């Protein structure tokens, strides 16, 4: 139904009437007494006032009406969904008794107005130790990732710095992907130091802490009679120069030790005597004992011993395979167990400083001879049947193999097999040394196919690649039993290699 507004009357455009005008019109149009009109106006006013007062009592100003909102609160990784009528993030946290410290992280900002389905994240600060070149700082941080912690601490690092997070060494690229909260971060910055050792000068870039550590890293030996400046315990600083003033020593290598000492004698033998080192039996020195001592002479004492040693070695047995027509195909049994033999070699051995320097054979003897192992393999072919979706089929051999699948698209569009057949469902690729070409096969859950293709070398010779067209391809990756269907070929490889699974893919 359509409502039509009535046409405008001449009286509709007149100014508002006064009470006297109303009385006059009322008398003219209705003939209603004045007192009755006054009573009607009073009753209408009282009714209108009551209605307005009741409406006001049942409502609140529009600006104070707050609908409950669904808020997701995450505190230190723990999440809770809460209904709230708070107006801001700060009001919400106060209402939920969530304490927030000066170093805690709140997102979004605490002054942000609350919105439905808002996620509020609070991460409470914790203590993390950041140590840089031995100077430790205790940091209060809400962050767990070491990269964010170092950013808050305003600590800059480079690829050459040595970094440890909770005792584990880390590279600069590792920090942003660190998966567990970091509690202690140690940074040892690289320093450039110059080491002057007599006429030799070495520039060392190092993360060592002290002068002694730097010399150890540079593999520079320092002895009691040498003078090192600064001292070994001094903490390294960048561009430090370390100077070593050497005494005039001789070096003696003896009995696994290196002795740095000063001597008054003029020969090697004199030096050994002053150091209390004796030569016994076949012992000798380099240089010889009658050679003169000069500054920085190095003497090596070689302790010489000889002994007779006997060494037993194993003589391997051979494995011989014999056909047995009473055994079923692919069955084997050990007819004669192999036995290892033993050969003994006697030698005269010379040692210098505990290291073997020569070995002279004296003779050999056979302690026990090896005995070959004889394994019989079956040649009896037994025909059995298997139920297939195409009916009962006869088979003469079952091979366990790892099955994959392929189709032309995976080969760049190549759809021709090694035998020139079109690649489709029913074409099977395998190792032709195990399954001859043109052998009819049955694979459970795949169906009947023909061996018509091959592929590259695998980690196991026992595999099949089940062919499909691009339209019906499905993926295979499991071990299956492959049934070789009749007819039995004229030539059979009775002795297949032992089964072994693909690398990393056990046959459970």
């Amino acid at each position: 139904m359509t409502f039509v507004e009535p046409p405008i009357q001449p009286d509709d455009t007149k100014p508002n009437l006064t009470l006297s005008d109303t009385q006059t019109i009322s008398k003219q149009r209705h003939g209603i007494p004045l007192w009755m009109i006054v009573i009607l106006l009073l009753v209408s006013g009282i009714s209108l006032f009551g209605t307005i007062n009741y409406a006001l009592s049942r409502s609140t100003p529009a600006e104070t009406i707050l609908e409950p909102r669904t808020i997701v609160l995450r505190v230190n990784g723990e999440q809770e969904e809460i209904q709230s009528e708070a107006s801001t993030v700060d009001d919400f946290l106060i209402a939920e008794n969530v304490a927030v410290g000066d170093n805690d992280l709140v997102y979004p900002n605490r002054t942000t107005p609350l919105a439905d389905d808002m996620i509020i994240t609070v991460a409470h600060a914790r203590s993390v130790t950041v140590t840089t070149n031995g100077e430790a700082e205790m940091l209060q941080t809400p962050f767990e990732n070491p990269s964010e912690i170092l950013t808050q601490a305003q600590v800059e690092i480079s690829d050459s710095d040595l970094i440890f997070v909770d005792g584990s060494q880390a590279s600069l690229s590792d920090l942003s992907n660190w998966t567990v909260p970091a509690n202690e971060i140690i940074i040892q910055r690289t320093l450039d130091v110059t080491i002057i050792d007599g006429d030799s000068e070495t520039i060392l870039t190092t993360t060592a802490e002290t002068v002694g550590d730097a010399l150890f890293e540079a593999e520079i030996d320092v002895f009691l009679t040498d003078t090192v400046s600064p001292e070994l315990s001094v903490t390294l600083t960048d561009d430090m120069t370390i100077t070593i003033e050497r005494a005039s020593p001789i070096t003696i290598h003896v009995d696994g030790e290196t002795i740095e000492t000063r001597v008054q004698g003029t020969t090697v033998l004199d030096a050994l005597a002053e150091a209390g080192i004796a030569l016994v039996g076949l012992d000798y020195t380099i240089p010889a004992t009658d050679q003169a001592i000069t500054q920085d002479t190095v003497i090596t004492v070689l302790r010489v011993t000889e002994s007779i040693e006997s060494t037993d070695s194993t003589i391997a047995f051979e494995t011989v395979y014999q056909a047995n027509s009473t055994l079923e195909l692919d069955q084997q049994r050990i007819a004669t167990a192999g036995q290892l033999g033993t050969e003994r070699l006697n030698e005269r051995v010379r040692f210098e400083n505990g290291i073997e320097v020569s070995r002279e054979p004296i003779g050999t003897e056979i302690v026990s001879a090896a005995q070959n192992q004889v394994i019989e393999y079956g040649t009896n072919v037994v025909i059995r049947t298997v139920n297939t979706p195409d009916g009962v089929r006869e088979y003469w051999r079952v091979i366990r193999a790892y099955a994959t699948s392929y189709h032309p698209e995976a080969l760049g569009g190549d759809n021709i097999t090694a035998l020139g057949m079109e690649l489709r469902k029913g074409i099977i690729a395998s190792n032709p040394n195990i399954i001859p070409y043109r052998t009819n096969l049955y694979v459970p859950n795949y169906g009947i196919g023909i061996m018509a293709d091959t592929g590259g070398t695998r980690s196991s010779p026992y595999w099949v690649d089940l062919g499909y067209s691009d339209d019906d391809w499905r993926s295979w990756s499991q071990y299956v039993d492959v049934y070789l269907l009749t007819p039995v070929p004229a030539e059979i490889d009775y002795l297949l290699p032992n089964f072994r699974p693909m690398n990393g893919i056990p046959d459970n």
Side-chain angles (χ1 to χ4, degrees), residues 213-287:
D213 294 336
L215 294 178
F216 179 80
E217 182 178 329
E219 299 183 350
I220 297 177
D221 295 326
V222 178
F223 304 97
L224 293 176
T225 53
D226 296 335
T227 301
V228 179
S229 179
E231 295 182 356
L232 298 178
S233 60
V234 173
T235 301
L236 286 183
T237 59
D238 200 24
D239 296 327
M240 175 182 282
T241 298
I242 302 172
T243 303
I244 304 173
E245 295 181 3
R246 298 288 185 181
S248 298
I250 66 165
T251 302
I252 303 175
H253 299 293
V254 59
D255 298 329
E257 297 181 358
T258 298
I259 301 174
E260 301 285 347
T261 185
R262 295 178 181 273
V263 294
Q264 298 295 323
T266 58
T267 67
V268 171
L269 188 59
D270 294 336
L272 294 179
E274 292 181 33
I277 299 170
L279 299 179
V280 179
L282 299 174
D283 296 347
Y284 69 98
T285 62
I286 301 175

Side-chain angles (χ1 to χ4, degrees), residues 392-424:
V392 176
R393 292 298 181 95
E394 293 182 341
Y395 69 93
W396 59 276
R397 173 177 262 170
V398 179
I399 292 176
R400 188 69 172 168
Y402 186 72
T404 54
S405 59
Y406 72 125
H407 57 115
E409 183 180 351
L411 302 177
D414 184 6
N415 66 342
I416 303 301
T417 71
L419 296 185
M421 302 175 69
E422 182 179 355
L423 178 56
R424 54 177 172 74

Side-chain angles (χ1 to χ4, degrees), residues 138-411:
M138 184 67 73
L139 181 70
Q140 294 296 317
T141 176
F143 299 112
E144 296 182 345
N145 180 268
S147 179
E148 295 175 337
I149 294 171
L150 292 175
T151 298
Q152 178 186 343
Q154 298 181 348
V155 175
E156 297 183 357
I157 52 179
S158 65
D159 289 330
S160 60
D161 293 337
L162 198 59
I163 307 168
F164 294 90
V165 179
D166 294 330
S168 298
Q169 187 169 352
S171 65
L172 181 58
S173 60
D174 293 334
L175 299 184
S176 59
N177 297 321
W178 205 262
T179 58
V180 295
N183 297 304
E184 182 183 34
I185 303 174
I186 298 176
I187 301 170
Q188 191 65 35
R189 299 196 184 282
T190 54
L191 305 172
D192 291 329
V193 296
T194 302
I195 303 174
I196 300 175
D197 185 3
D199 296 331
S200 174
E201 181 175 311
T202 302
I203 304 297
L204 178 66
T205 300
T206 179
T207 56
E209 295 184 7
T210 66
V211 171
D213 294 336
L215 294 178
F216 179 80
E217 182 178 329
E219 299 183 350
I220 297 177
D221 295 326
V222 178
F223 304 97
L224 293 176
T225 53
D226 296 335
T227 301
V228 179
S229 179
E231 295 182 356
L232 298 178
S233 60
V234 173
T235 301
L236 286 183
T237 59
D238 200 24
D239 296 327
M240 175 182 282
T241 298
I242 302 172
T243 303
I244 304 173
E245 295 181 3
R246 298 288 185 181
S248 298
I250 66 165
T251 302
I252 303 175
H253 299 293
V254 59
D255 298 329
E257 297 181 358
T258 298
I259 301 174
E260 301 285 347
T261 185
R262 295 178 181 273
V263 294
Q264 298 295 323
T266 58
T267 67
V268 171
L269 188 59
D270 294 336
L272 294 179
E274 292 181 33
I277 299 170
L279 299 179
V280 179
L282 299 174
D283 296 347
Y284 69 98
T285 62
I286 301 175
T289 56
D290 59 354
Q291 293 294 307
I293 290 295
T294 60
Q295 184 173 340
D296 296 325
T297 294
V298 177
I299 302 172
T300 301
V301 178
L302 294 104
R303 303 295 192 188
V304 180
T305 59
E306 288 184 346
S307 65
I308 303 299
E309 291 187 1
S310 297
T311 305
D312 288 346
S313 58
T314 299
I315 303 174
F317 62 80
E318 295 183 2
T319 299
V320 179
Y321 291 89
Q322 294 180 351
N324 186 331
S325 61
T326 64
L327 282 179
E328 187 175 335
L329 179 67
D330 295 332
Q331 291 185 353
Q332 295 182 2
R333 71 182 180 189
I334 298 176
T336 303
Q339 293 183 358
L340 299 174
T342 303
E343 182 181 54
R344 179 167 296 159
L345 173 63
N346 298 316
E347 299 172 295
R348 178 180 286 107
V349 185
R350 179 184 175 95
F351 297 90
E352 294 183 357
N353 288 348
I355 299 174
E356 180 182 323
V357 295
S358 66
R359 183 176 289 264
E360 179 185 355
I362 298 174
T364 59
E365 57 181 316
I366 301 298
V367 178
S368 61
Q371 177 176 304
N372 289 342
Q373 177 169 271
V374 179
I375 297 179
E376 296 179 340
Y377 61 90
T379 60
N380 181 23
V381 177
V382 178
I383 305 299
R384 293 184 172 86
T385 60
V386 60
N387 292 324
T388 76
D390 297 323
V392 176
R393 292 298 181 95
E394 293 182 341
Y395 69 93
W396 59 276
R397 173 177 262 170
V398 179
I399 292 176
R400 188 69 172 168
Y402 186 72
T404 54
S405 59
Y406 72 125
H407 57 115
E409 183 180 351
L411 302 177

Side-chain angles (χ1 to χ4, degrees), residues 67-72 81-84 92 114-119:
E67 293 293 333
R69 300 174 178 88
T70 300
I71 305 299
V72 176
E81 188 174 285
I82 299 172
Q83 299 291 319
S84 177
F92 173 79
L114 225 58
D116 200 26
D117 294 327
M118 176 180 282
I119 299 175

Side-chain angles (χ1 to χ4, degrees), residues 434-448:
I434 303 297
I435 303 176
Y437 282 124
R438 294 186 171 84
T439 300
N440 291 321
L441 307 173
Y442 168 64
V443 178
N445 298 322
Y446 175 76
I448 295 174

